């Protein structure tokens, strides 16, 4: 019994270093245009110009104990995969990113190839089709339906209960054509709303 108590005490004392993933609607800024897949080093400038003031430099080693907190939109240390939210774009590959989610502090980075900046549609078509989608935890329950067309007033073809898996086929504006495996194991196909007109995102790629 004493050994068990000591083990539990050690677990409570040790810090927990987890990967980062958005789980709530408010986790994703409505102003975001998509995601920036980082390099091993991130040089952040005050303006879209390498001669402007360098605000911050972040070196990524993907060691959970040393990776900065409150920076990443997505962080999977084991896969050495990380993304930042993008809020604006400029010429010559410059993009504005959020580098501090707590204060909403922003700066500019320059991409080295066209695949580093993924607008939401590109990100979903790449990662959503690979891993499927999941509803964010506080997404409105009335969105857990499939419609015949990508329209709010379109006929409901299925109501979703105890969702097991959402397979993405294609993104059409704020709608996604999906096939959903429910508790009854019968696939249901139709359109679900992944984002609203205000920019609130309700369903996100289920990266693993």
């Amino acid at each position: 019994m004493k050994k068990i108590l000591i083990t539990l005490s050690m677990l409570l004392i040790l810090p927990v270093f987890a990967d980062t993933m958005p789980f709530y609607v408010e986790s994703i800024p409505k102003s975001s245009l998509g995601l920036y897949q980082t390099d091993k080093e991130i040089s952040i400038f005050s303006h879209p110009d390498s001669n402007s003031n360098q605000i911050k430099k972040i070196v990524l080693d993907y060691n959970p104990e040393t990776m900065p907190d409150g920076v990443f939109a997505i962080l999977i240390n084991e896969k050495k995969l990380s993304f930042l939210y993008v809020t604006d774009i400029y010429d010559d590959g410059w993009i504005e990113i959020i580098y501090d989610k707590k204060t909403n502090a922003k700066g500019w980075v320059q991409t080295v190839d066209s695949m580093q900046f993924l607008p939401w549609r590109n990100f979903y078509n790449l990662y959503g089709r690979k891993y499927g989608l999941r509803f964010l935890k506080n997404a409105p329950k009335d969105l857990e339906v499939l419609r015949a067309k990508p329209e709010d007033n379109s006929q409901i073809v299925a109501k979703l209960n105890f969702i097991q898996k959402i397979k993405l086929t294609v993104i059409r504006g704020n709608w996604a054509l999906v096939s959903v495996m429910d508790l009854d194991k019968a696939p249901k196909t139709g359109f679900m709303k992944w984002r609203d007109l205000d920019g609130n995102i309700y369903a996100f790629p289920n990266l693993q």
Side-chain angles (χ1 to χ4, degrees):
M1 182 68 180
K2 187 176 180 181
K3 288 183 179 180
I4 294 173
L5 289 173
I6 292 172
T7 303
L8 287 173
S9 299
M10 290 180 67
L11 289 173
L12 290 172
I13 293 171
L14 289 172
V16 177
F17 301 98
D19 293 337
T20 301
M21 202 74 63
F23 286 105
Y24 295 92
V25 174
E26 59 271 18
S27 301
I28 306 173
K30 291 190 291 184
S31 61
S32 57
L33 305 177
L35 295 172
Y36 161 64
Q37 185 169 349
T38 67
D39 287 318
K40 293 181 180 179
E41 293 185 1
I42 310 170
S43 296
I44 305 171
F45 296 87
S46 59
H47 294 85
D49 184 341
S50 56
N51 293 319
S52 65
N53 179 43
Q54 183 172 315
I55 301 172
K56 194 178 186 70
K57 185 173 183 178
I58 303 174
V59 179
L60 309 182
D61 59 7
Y62 294 99
N63 179 348
E65 296 187 16
T66 57
M67 289 291 280
D69 186 33
V71 173
F72 302 99
I74 298 171
L75 172 63
I76 305 177
N77 287 300
E78 186 177 354
K79 293 186 176 182
K80 296 186 177 181
L81 185 66
S82 56
F83 295 88
L84 303 178
Y85 290 116
V86 176
T87 53
D88 200 0
I89 58 176
Y90 194 69
D91 297 335
D92 299 324
W94 285 95
I95 56 174
E96 185 184 55
I97 51 91
I98 296 175
Y99 65 87
D100 188 330
K101 294 189 296 184
K102 295 176 183 177
T103 65
N104 202 41
K106 302 173 184 177
W108 292 86
V109 298
Q110 189 171 31
T111 58
V112 296
D113 65 62
S114 59
M115 287 300 293
Q116 278 190 285
F117 168 48
L118 293 172
W120 284 126
R121 181 170 180 171
N122 296 27
F123 178 74
Y124 277 68
N125 281 331
L126 181 61
Y127 289 97
R129 292 176 70 177
K130 182 176 181 179
Y131 294 104
L133 301 178
R134 59 176 169 82
F135 277 106
L136 297 178
K137 290 185 177 181
N138 58 339
K141 287 295 181 182
D142 60 5
L143 294 182
E144 295 185 5
V145 297
L146 299 180
R147 297 185 179 272
K149 297 179 181 179
E151 301 169 0
D152 286 318
N153 297 323
S154 178
Q155 178 187 356
I156 293 176
V157 295
K159 292 186 177 181
L160 307 176
N161 299 296
F162 306 104
I163 299 168
Q164 304 296 304
K165 186 177 181 180
I166 303 176
K167 182 180 179 181
L168 173 64
T169 300
V170 68
I171 292 289
R172 292 187 183 174
N174 293 332
W175 295 82
L177 178 60
V178 297
S179 179
V180 180
M181 189 70 73
D182 216 329
L183 192 62
D184 61 9
K185 303 299 182 181
K188 302 173 177 66
T189 301
F191 288 93
M192 58 175 267
K193 196 170 192 176
W194 68 275
R195 181 177 64 179
D196 67 17
L197 293 175
D198 293 326
N200 293 300
I201 289 177
Y202 300 118
F204 199 80
N206 192 27
L207 277 79
Q208 299 171 6

